[in-house]
Amino acid sequence: MSDDSYEPPKVWTWDKENGGAFASTNRPIAGPTHDRELPVGEHPFQLYSLATPNGVKVNVMFEELLEAGHDAEYDAWLIEIGEGDQFGSGFVEINPNSKIPAMVDRSGPEPVRVFESGSILMHLAEKFGAFLPRSGAARTEVINWLMWQMGSAPYLGGGFGHFYQYAPEKYEYPINRFAMETKRQLDVLNRELAHKDWIAGDAYSIADMAIWPWYGNLTLGRAYGDAATFLSVHEYENVMEWARRIDARPAVQRGRMVNRTFGEPEEQLHERHSAEDFDTKTQDKIGSGD
């Protein structure tokens, strides 16, 4: 079906009632809508997020750092974007773009705000000397793929995912346009992973952590309803093998749970303030009174 009836006006105006599933989270202006201070926990790193793909990237990085023995304890506070938490004054002060995740690094003499998931990954990788080579071609290759993800995923999420799953009406042209681009991106990954274990080379890196929540979860059938069938993800065998290997990592399994408010209760840990929270404060345990 095509939309032959729409003629763009000479000057665009905002229709608050025509935003689809995420109408409450989108608006054409920046800045806070209300005053709200953010909570601060006891750990050096304060993360304010939700378990969207971009949020999961950072959760996984923290859990991988801890798994590797680094002193990277963090407090993860839930930002309910459907409720407009990202437009509170405290959050906007950390991220003027009002998108999750955002973080404050309080480990130094002065707090440092860090926003954009790729920037947070690089900040943590450089701080701990982990999951990012320090110099040379290997470092550049990791950054190449991190930047690829940052530039490509909007076509998957805001393009294909939106029009295929979330738009209030289905239109053939945008679905076909973004399905084609998503399949091209999967083919890019599939060709690269034909001759190496990890996307940037021999070592697991922040590039894998960035790409996996988007394209790994897509191939594992966890994104946008039945999109995996629609896109014939079984064709991308190398991506699927890579996705399963990352999915099996304990730190990734924990990272998927942090700030998660959907799915099965045992997969949800709304806030994380210590490693013990995974054993005592997931939503199934809270719901059962354990």
Side-chain angles (χ1 to χ4, degrees), residues 21 49 85 161 224 262 288:
S49 192
D85 291 353
Y224 314 123
F262 49 90
S288 67

Side-chain angles (χ1 to χ4, degrees), residues 246-267:
I246 293 177
D247 194 51
R249 297 175 70 92
V252 173
Q253 294 172 10
R254 294 194 301 272
R256 285 189 65 236
M257 296 169 63
V258 176
N259 296 148
R260 186 179 177 91
T261 60
F262 49 90
E264 297 299 322
E266 63 269 19
E267 296 179 330

Side-chain angles (χ1 to χ4, degrees), residues 43-49 55-76 101-106 114 120-121 123-125 127-128 131 204 206 209 251-252 254-255 258-259 272 278:
H43 298 305
F45 302 99
Q46 299 296 303
L47 178 65
Y48 304 93
S49 192
V56 168
K57 296 178 197 176
V58 176
N59 301 343
V60 167
M61 178 59 166
F62 271 117
E63 294 299 328
E64 291 283 11
L65 287 168
L66 292 167
E67 185 86 5
H70 295 283
D71 185 14
E73 273 296 342
Y74 67 109
D75 290 284
M103 184 184 80
V104 177
D105 179 352
R106 296 177 175 271
V114 194
I120 297 173
L121 291 178
H123 179 86
L124 294 172
K127 190 174 195 73
F128 290 100
F131 304 112
Y204 177 63
I206 58 172
M209 297 179 206
V252 173
R254 294 194 301 272
V258 176
N259 296 148
R272 183 232 187 261
F278 293 101

Side-chain angles (χ1 to χ4, degrees), residues 45 56 78 87 114 125 135 149 152 177 193 230 236 266 282:
F45 302 99
V56 168
L78 180 63
F87 301 123
V114 194
S135 62
Q149 185 277 314
S152 296
R177 169 67 181 86
L193 289 165
F230 181 76
Y236 309 101
E266 63 269 19
T282 53

Side-chain angles (χ1 to χ4, degrees), residues 223-256:
Y224 314 123
D226 200 28
T229 300
F230 181 76
L231 295 171
S232 301
V233 298
H234 66 276
E235 297 173 348
Y236 309 101
E237 295 180 0
N238 301 320
V239 180
M240 294 192 73
E241 193 280 329
W242 165 86
R244 292 187 186 110
R245 191 160 9 101
I246 293 177
D247 194 51
R249 297 175 70 92
V252 173
Q253 294 172 10
R254 294 194 301 272
R256 285 189 65 236

Side-chain angles (χ1 to χ4, degrees), residues 4 22 36 45 67 78 104 107 110 118 120 130 139-140 153 181 217 223 243 256 266 281 285 287:
D4 297 324
F22 298 104
R36 182 187 176 188
F45 302 99
E67 185 86 5
L78 180 63
V104 177
S107 64
E110 297 291 334
I120 297 173
R139 176 185 175 87
T140 299
E181 175 61 13
N217 275 318
R256 285 189 65 236
E266 63 269 19
K281 293 187 178 180
K285 298 180 181 68

Side-chain angles (χ1 to χ4, degrees), residues 123-235:
H123 179 86
L124 294 172
E126 290 173 342
K127 190 174 195 73
F128 290 100
F131 304 112
L132 175 65
R134 292 186 180 276
S135 62
R139 176 185 175 87
T140 299
E141 185 69 357
V142 170
I143 296 174
N144 287 343
W145 284 106
L146 178 62
M147 295 302 112
W148 178 89
Q149 185 277 314
M150 300 294 287
S152 296
Y155 290 95
L156 169 56
F160 171 76
H162 177 78
F163 286 104
Y164 179 78
Q165 180 73 5
Y166 301 121
E169 298 180 42
K170 299 293 187 288
Y171 295 114
E172 181 179 0
Y173 177 79
I175 291 174
N176 284 344
R177 169 67 181 86
F178 290 113
M180 177 178 65
E181 175 61 13
T182 298
K183 287 182 70 68
R184 188 193 70 81
Q185 293 172 359
L186 286 167
D187 195 42
V188 169
L189 295 173
N190 202 58
R191 290 169 185 266
E192 285 292 314
L193 289 165
H195 54 83
K196 54 190 177 183
D197 290 335
W198 308 106
I199 194 59
D202 296 332
Y204 177 63
S205 72
I206 58 172
D208 298 286
M209 297 179 206
I211 294 169
W212 181 84
W214 288 99
Y215 299 89
N217 275 318
L218 176 65
T219 58
L220 293 170
R222 295 174 179 159
Y224 314 123
D226 200 28
T229 300
F230 181 76
L231 295 171
S232 301
V233 298
H234 66 276
E235 297 173 348

